[in-house]
Amino acid sequence: MAASAVTAAIAQTPQPQSPVTDALLSLPDAPGFSSSDAVTGESSSAEGLADYEHGFIPAPKLHVKLPTRRDMTILPGQIAPQLDSHDKVVLGLKESVTVFSVIGWATSAGYSHLTNGSPNYGTDKAAFGERLGGTALRNVSESIFSVSLFAPLLHEDPRYYKMGNGNNFFKRVVYAATRPIITKTDSGNSTVNLSLLSGNLFGAALTNAYYPQPNRGFSQTMQTFGTSVGGSAIGFVVTEFLDDALVAAHLKKAD
């Protein structure tokens, strides 16, 4: 009876959790763990038995999508893989034509068509096609210049690191809107985003080869450059809040 009572008391005593389990359960940044067992929660039956014998509770299985070298956006808590020059070249080519970028082309071309703004092709149906083509060519060239050319040369990281909804709304807006000016180096330090600024400047200069005559020249090129930087800021803000908007609209499940 005494032995049974002792055994029952031990069985009812809460078992302590391991530090790794505590971290995985309390931190939203679990994808940052590099151990395969910590990420998948898999262990052999012998290891699991040993854990129980020592009073540890095995970590639960976690289904985590880790970022790859082809991902332009890094989520909060994720450890981004190091990019080499080849990765940046491929990333720039890939990101120059995406669904998101096509929507941006159409939006920009549609706005300039409605306001008869730059580039001044006119307001008829043919003009909209010319605007769309000109916007696409400018954005593609800016992406390739920024990500594929200048990011490798200047050793800068062209990816966008989301701040996430655990932060103040205004802080997130300011952070996203300033990413055209501030970025990371390959070593993770903050620096002036010379790769994006240079890419947008070269892309704006290239418009002198295909924009109509009224939109050519130094002053017009600088206006195009300013518009491109502003467009980049808007794009980063959209990237920061897009998932939140989709969740609010019940078009995506919350993580």
Side-chain angles (χ1 to χ4, degrees):
M1 290 292 293
S4 299
V6 171
T7 301
I10 293 175
Q12 295 174 2
T13 301
Q15 299 298 314
Q17 292 184 344
S18 70
V20 173
T21 302
D22 287 339
L24 285 171
L25 294 177
S26 63
L27 294 178
D29 299 339
F33 283 82
S34 59
S35 167
S36 60
D37 285 347
V39 172
T40 63
E42 297 177 351
S43 60
S44 67
S45 57
E47 289 172 341
L49 180 60
D51 285 340
Y52 279 114
E53 288 176 349
H54 289 85
F56 296 130
I57 299 175
K61 276 193 175 183
L62 300 176
H63 301 283
V64 176
K65 182 179 182 298
L66 299 179
T68 70
R69 289 180 172 83
R70 300 297 176 262
D71 290 327
M72 194 64 172
T73 302
I74 306 301
L75 302 180
Q78 289 185 328
I79 295 179
Q82 190 77 21
L83 298 181
D84 57 26
S85 296
H86 176 265
D87 293 327
K88 294 176 184 179
V89 171
V90 174
L91 187 60
L93 295 173
K94 171 181 173 289
E95 288 299 313
S96 63
V97 182
T98 64
V99 173
F100 187 69
S101 62
V102 171
I103 293 174
W105 304 344
T107 302
S108 177
Y111 177 78
S112 64
H113 190 72
L114 289 175
T115 60
N116 194 25
S118 176
N120 299 105
Y121 288 111
T123 56
D124 56 15
K125 293 182 179 179
F128 177 76
E130 291 177 310
R131 290 178 190 277
L132 183 59
T135 300
L137 184 55
R138 190 190 78 215
N139 288 354
V140 168
S141 62
E142 288 172 351
S143 177
I144 293 176
F145 278 132
S146 298
V147 181
S148 299
L149 178 61
F150 287 111
L153 290 176
L154 300 174
H155 305 287
E156 293 180 355
D157 189 341
R159 295 169 292 189
Y160 178 72
Y161 290 77
K162 285 187 66 173
M163 180 170 281
N165 56 17
N167 296 276
N168 176 272
F169 173 81
F170 180 73
K171 184 177 181 180
R172 292 174 68 187
V173 171
V174 173
Y175 167 81
T178 55
R179 290 315 92 186
I181 310 298
I182 304 171
T183 190
K184 293 176 178 289
T185 63
D186 286 339
S187 58
N189 299 317
S190 295
T191 187
V192 177
N193 198 344
L194 291 177
S195 56
L196 185 144
L197 294 174
S198 299
N200 283 1
L201 181 59
F202 272 64
L206 190 61
T207 61
N208 286 279
Y210 56 87
Y211 268 13
Q213 188 61 44
N215 304 117
R216 301 178 186 179
F218 178 78
S219 62
Q220 290 296 316
T221 297
M222 296 310 296
Q223 288 183 28
T224 301
F225 168 66
T227 302
S228 296
V229 174
S232 297
I234 293 173
F236 286 135
V237 172
V238 171
T239 300
E240 178 68 33
F241 292 98
L242 180 60
D243 287 342
D244 297 346
L246 293 176
V247 170
H250 304 290
L251 297 176
K252 179 181 178 180
K253 293 183 179 179
D255 295 331

